[in-house]
Amino acid sequence: MFRRLRSVAGLLVLALIVLSACGGQTTNGTGGAASEEPPVVNVYTARHYDADDALFADFTKETGIEVKVLKGKAEELIERIAREGQATEADLFITVDGGVLNQAKERGILQPITDEAILQNVPEALRDRENAWVGLATRARVIVYAKDRIKPEDLSTYEALTDPKWRGKVLVRSSTSLYNQSLLASFIALHGREWAKSWAQGIVNNFARPPEGSDRDQMKAIAAGVGDVALVNTYYVGLLLTSEDPKEREVGEKMGVFFPDQDGDGTHINVSGVGLVKGAKHPENAKKLIAYLTSAAVQEKLSKANFEYPVNPDARWAEDLEAWGRFKAQSLDFADLGRYNQEAVKIFTEVGWK
Ligand SMILES: [Fe+2]
């Protein structure tokens, strides 16, 4: 834990040095024409996937525009950009979770994206109403199950997992995870607080063990026989299947993927997105990078490397995603995930989902 914190802190310091070192030349471009922008774009991102770094490197190779990345926690990055105001070095803000993207919008750190080239890449449902941000990828929070002892016919809805027949069989990570908070927030938005609370209570009643570890760890626990089903994000199944560690690949092979609520509201999805920062010093480069990341070809690369669903409808899905099948997704205003976040956190406390 501490080692991880330390390495994150180290990255932040490193990124800060890099950013401040280029501060002089980037601020010169403020009033100039697009062509006068120095060939650089500064990205503040809360996404933690290797796939993103590879795409940034490809972009630099194709355009000669260097992508300088500052990684951090979404809330801290938002506050930092707000504090820096017009002086900020950030051109783009990237994060997972539609609720947090909306929070960035409401904090006033983003400017609308008006480029047709970008908007054509991303359907309306996967961008902010005023285009304060546009989606980069989506993921589904599904039920995975032990293929050797559970049949897909045994599964149906998120609610059905609260049935006493699953007592001692359900695995899921801690409620401190935004993935779970947004899942519960979606239920508050769709069915109201009471429904959401009794669902959370029902899952707690059926816990195979007190929540611990990551989504990947829940699947490892299924493979070890600790429980039979788990709630996880789809891409983690793909990442297990393609892991360099043969033991992880073995775990992945044992998992079945089930999309719940197909006869109802659909499976819970969440969106990763990008916003153009107010006061961006390299807006033309920034827009080029958004157009690049949302283009069909690059969306296919992202889907293949990180097992997320493309937002661009012209992009083909990665093979594993196709194998799991097309599915009906919740159609929610992603802002609702943020709107009901505090309520979700409260419910988790009330039902003892630690
Ligand atoms: Fe993740």
Side-chain angles (χ1 to χ4, degrees):
M1 177 71 176
F2 281 112
R3 251 184 58 208
R4 197 162 156 230
L5 276 178
R6 238 188 11 235
S7 66
V8 168
L11 267 177
L12 277 172
V13 169
L14 200 80
L16 279 177
I17 292 166
V18 171
L19 281 175
S20 58
C22 72
Q25 65 180 91
T26 54
T27 43
N28 286 344
T30 313
S35 57
E36 289 171 25
E37 278 182 15
V40 64
V41 56
N42 292 319
V43 178
Y44 285 21
T45 179
R47 272 172 58 98
H48 58 85
Y49 311 111
D50 298 341
D52 294 22
D53 298 329
L55 295 182
F56 294 153
D58 288 351
F59 175 75
T60 302
K61 231 183 275 165
E62 271 187 36
T63 63
I65 300 169
E66 190 185 350
V67 183
K68 292 187 168 153
V69 176
L70 176 77
K71 288 187 184 175
K73 283 191 174 162
E75 284 76 7
E76 287 167 15
L77 294 177
I78 292 171
E79 281 318 305
R80 179 175 169 157
I81 295 168
R83 200 172 56 239
E84 291 170 344
Q86 286 299 313
T88 189
E89 293 294 343
D91 295 307
L92 293 176
F93 170 70
I94 296 178
T95 192
V96 300
D97 194 86
V100 177
L101 286 163
N102 192 57
Q103 194 183 318
K105 175 193 178 185
E106 289 183 350
R107 195 71 176 81
I109 65 162
L110 303 177
Q111 55 177 305
I113 295 163
T114 53
D115 281 42
E116 269 312 308
I118 295 172
L119 299 181
Q120 276 172 10
N121 283 342
V122 186
E124 250 178 63
L126 297 174
R127 23 175 170 107
D128 172 62
R129 260 182 225 165
E130 279 123 12
N131 299 320
W133 55 266
V134 301
L136 289 175
T138 66
R139 68 274 301 273
R141 197 148 181 79
V142 297
I143 301 171
V144 290
Y145 59 93
K147 273 197 291 199
D148 60 349
R149 47 192 193 273
I150 303 294
K151 293 186 199 70
E153 301 88 84
D154 299 330
L155 299 164
S156 57
T157 63
Y158 292 105
E159 190 180 17
L161 288 185
T162 65
D163 189 283
K165 82 166 179 174
W166 295 106
R167 190 124 314 161
K169 305 285 187 199
V170 178
L171 287 151
V172 62
R173 71 196 294 175
S174 157
S175 68
T176 55
S177 158
L178 186 58
Y179 301 152
N180 285 336
Q181 293 170 11
S182 286
L183 176 67
L184 192 58
S186 78
F187 294 157
I188 299 173
L190 288 167
H191 312 295
R193 189 188 200 279
E194 280 321 298
W195 191 102
K197 185 177 174 182
S198 78
W199 178 80
Q201 184 65 68
I203 295 294
V204 169
N205 294 344
N206 288 346
F207 275 169
R209 64 175 182 193
E212 62 172 71
S214 62
D215 279 6
R216 268 181 261 225
D217 291 327
Q218 310 313 312
M219 292 187 268
K220 289 175 186 173
I222 289 181
V226 178
D228 285 342
V229 289
L231 290 165
V232 302
N233 286 352
T234 32
Y235 58 89
Y236 286 119
V237 186
L239 291 174
L240 281 182
L241 284 168
T242 53
S243 170
E244 277 168 19
D245 180 350
K247 277 187 208 141
E248 288 202 331
R249 288 201 299 274
E250 207 178 295
V251 170
E253 299 291 348
K254 289 181 175 168
M255 298 301 121
V257 172
F258 186 85
F259 293 91
D261 291 43
Q262 291 305 287
D263 297 328
D265 296 302
T267 298
H268 173 67
I269 60 161
N270 207 334
V271 67
S272 286
V274 57
L276 180 59
V277 171
K278 221 179 249 177
K281 309 295 187 298
H282 315 95
E284 298 309 318
N285 296 343
K287 285 184 264 184
K288 257 183 220 161
L289 180 54
I290 301 176
Y292 177 82
L293 291 174
T294 54
S295 68
V298 176
Q299 287 273 300
E300 284 179 13
K301 276 194 206 168
L302 179 62
S303 178
K304 222 172 167 181
N306 207 41
F307 303 97
E308 290 177 280
Y309 295 100
V311 293
N312 188 323
D314 296 332
R316 279 164 305 182
W317 289 13
E319 247 173 65
D320 283 297
L321 301 189
E322 281 295 358
W324 299 332
R326 300 270 164 171
F327 64 97
K328 177 183 175 183
Q330 283 177 348
S331 64
L332 272 182
D333 180 354
F334 285 108
D336 279 347
L337 304 181
R339 198 166 291 139
Y340 296 113
N341 177 273
Q342 284 311 306
E343 200 61 49
V345 170
K346 245 173 94 185
I347 290 174
F348 280 131
T349 307
E350 286 167 14
V351 303
W353 184 327
K354 71 160 189 155

